[in-house]
Amino acid sequence: MTVIKPVVSTLILCCIASIGITSFVHAESPQSDDPAQMNLHAMLGPVPASAKFIDEGYYIWGGSMVRDADGKCHLLYSRWPRDLKHGAWVTHSEIAHAVADHPLGPYRHVDVALPERGAEYWDGLCTHNPTVHEFDGKYYLYYMGNTGDRKPTERLNWTHRNNQRIGVAVADHPEGPWKRFDQPLIDITPDESAPDALMTSNPSILRRSDGTFVLIYKAVGLKRERPFGGPVVHLAATSDSPTGPFEKHMKPLFTVPGENFSAEDPFIWSQGETCLAIVNDHHGAFNGLNTDSLALFTSKNGLDWEVAANPLVTARELTWADGTHQKLNRLERPQLWMENGKPAVLFCAGEETDQQLHSFNVHIPLTSTDAK
């Protein structure tokens, strides 16, 4: 196990209020008493038009929401200029900030939370894939950052991709200002045989019932040919503080024998003694769909994961409030907003076609399976 250098210290999620657009009614059926038996697919509700956050000038990707003490909703999300094409996410993404009166929107862009700050910083040219949490009265924004030559390419700029590291920024309010740090929260492991020897990215974090933290992240090693490297796995790290130091656990998670890249983008959370995760199931191997989709996992400790009793969360599709059913090319980066300790809105990044001409964030309401 490896200990990561600390950055700061200190939690509890609290996002409650009436929301006006729709009422999130959670199941009171017996299955709702056991989070491990949760059926998120059955809870998916129709998506109102206001819950699609799109900007004609920017690609919009992963978004994560918190609600402040006054009830205002703050969406921290990735964006980059459309004129640079889709591949510029790895060179030009920035984490921006939008607000709304309701969790389902409509959201209005306000400012950039983590802007470019110079190639000399580890996260100086690109910030991406945020997940934001309130812990003990402070706000913690976990993200991927990188630096490099700032040259957008058709697919991936490998220098920027392999410079990806994990950071956290801290603020007293989701409006900021956000305090960033000069060192990553989760860096690569110097040992070239380690599963995260090439890069670390895409963090997600939960607080266990004992008050300790589990952070899960995407890791790429050096056992396969560069520049891609691999295999691509996920690792966990634990700490007593949301800002570390984190102790790495080198057991790969969410893997399938023989596959180099079976899962991505886990969002993790806890309900009572149970830890849960929604992952991008690249080949539908975990939920039985046999195509790219979202799958649910459960764990007793946040370190050892198994496929949930009801593993299917959703395929790459949306049902809109007007009755329209839409197939998507991509539906990724799951993030949850919790109301009264239970999932209420599923935030995802969406892309309509494989031409990658545009993207958006969508906010899917989760309702009770027995709601009237």
Side-chain angles (χ1 to χ4, degrees):
M1 297 181 182
T2 306
V3 177
I4 308 301
K5 185 177 179 181
V7 183
V8 186
S9 92
T10 274
L11 165 103
I12 238 186
L13 222 154
C14 117
C15 298
I16 307 173
S18 65
I19 54 178
I21 286 186
T22 185
S23 175
F24 296 122
V25 182
H26 294 286
E28 298 301 331
S29 58
Q31 79 165 22
S32 67
D33 295 330
D34 182 2
Q37 300 299 313
M38 183 182 304
N39 189 337
L40 283 174
H41 183 69
M43 295 167 63
L44 297 175
V47 182
S50 64
K52 180 179 182 179
F53 182 47
I54 192 165
D55 186 325
E56 286 307 308
Y58 290 85
Y59 290 94
I60 288 178
W61 206 239
S64 178
M65 191 274 280
V66 288
R67 206 167 196 173
D68 66 25
D70 297 322
K72 186 174 290 294
C73 301
H74 299 263
L75 184 71
L76 283 301
Y77 67 99
S78 301
R79 72 172 195 172
W80 64 99
R82 283 185 73 192
D83 60 2
L84 297 179
K85 307 301 182 184
H86 190 273
W89 71 265
V90 78
T91 55
H92 286 75
S93 179
E94 60 188 7
I95 294 176
H97 170 222
V99 298
D101 293 328
H102 309 291
L104 295 179
Y107 284 87
R108 173 180 59 86
H109 171 78
V110 176
D111 55 19
V112 177
L114 300 184
E116 175 184 346
R117 61 172 179 164
E120 69 273 21
Y121 292 96
W122 69 271
D123 63 345
L125 297 184
C126 174
T127 56
H128 193 63
N129 282 350
T131 183
V132 63
H133 301 266
E134 181 192 351
F135 295 150
D136 296 334
K138 284 188 176 291
Y139 294 86
Y140 297 83
L141 176 57
Y142 299 86
Y143 64 99
M144 176 279 283
N146 70 45
T147 187
D149 58 18
R150 194 65 163 174
K151 294 179 180 179
T153 55
E154 186 67 24
R155 295 189 64 81
L156 275 183
N157 178 311
W158 291 106
T159 299
H160 279 261
R161 185 266 198 177
N162 291 336
N163 279 336
Q164 290 180 90
R165 304 291 185 268
I166 291 166
V168 63
V170 184
D172 293 326
H173 193 278
E175 292 179 343
W178 293 95
K179 177 176 173 53
R180 294 157 74 171
F181 301 96
D182 293 340
Q183 299 297 325
L185 181 67
I186 304 288
D187 207 337
I188 60 171
T189 298
D191 181 354
E192 290 196 356
S193 68
D196 62 351
L198 181 57
M199 70 90 159
T200 64
S201 186
N202 297 2
S204 186
I205 194 167
L206 63 76
R207 191 180 209 178
R208 294 185 287 197
S209 58
D210 65 0
T212 61
F213 296 87
V214 175
L215 187 148
I216 290 179
Y217 63 99
K218 177 180 174 181
V220 181
L222 291 169
K223 293 182 179 180
R224 296 178 184 259
E225 186 178 353
R226 298 193 203 190
F228 190 87
V232 181
V233 298
H234 292 83
L235 302 176
T238 53
S239 179
D240 293 331
S241 163
T243 54
F246 278 90
E247 182 178 35
K248 292 181 179 180
H249 300 253
M250 291 301 188
K251 173 187 174 182
L253 307 172
F254 314 122
T255 60
V256 173
E259 288 193 11
N260 184 43
F261 194 0
S262 55
E264 194 174 21
D265 296 341
F267 174 83
I268 61 173
W269 77 101
S270 62
Q271 288 183 231
E273 300 294 322
T274 303
C275 301
L276 300 104
I278 303 173
V279 309
N280 185 8
D281 184 355
H282 275 318
H283 308 293
F286 300 116
N287 60 32
L289 210 59
N290 298 319
T291 187
D292 193 285
S293 47
L294 299 181
L296 184 66
F297 283 71
T298 62
S299 172
K300 294 180 179 179
N301 58 10
L303 303 176
D304 302 297
W305 293 87
E306 60 184 23
V307 177
N310 299 293
L312 176 61
V313 177
T314 182
R316 291 178 168 184
E317 57 191 23
L318 294 170
T319 299
W320 297 95
D322 64 3
T324 303
H325 186 73
Q326 183 182 21
K327 298 281 189 179
L328 298 175
N329 179 54
R330 299 172 79 179
L331 189 66
E332 303 178 0
R333 290 300 304 163
Q335 298 279 306
L336 287 177
W337 177 68
M338 312 288 286
E339 184 186 40
N340 298 327
K342 295 182 180 180
V345 180
L346 173 63
F347 289 79
C348 289
E351 184 179 68
E352 293 184 350
T353 74
D354 60 5
Q355 296 176 324
Q356 299 183 324
L357 299 178
H358 207 2
S359 63
F360 55 90
N361 200 263
V362 63
H363 330 313
I364 306 169
L366 300 173
T367 62
S368 165
T369 54
D370 60 355
K372 301 297 187 289

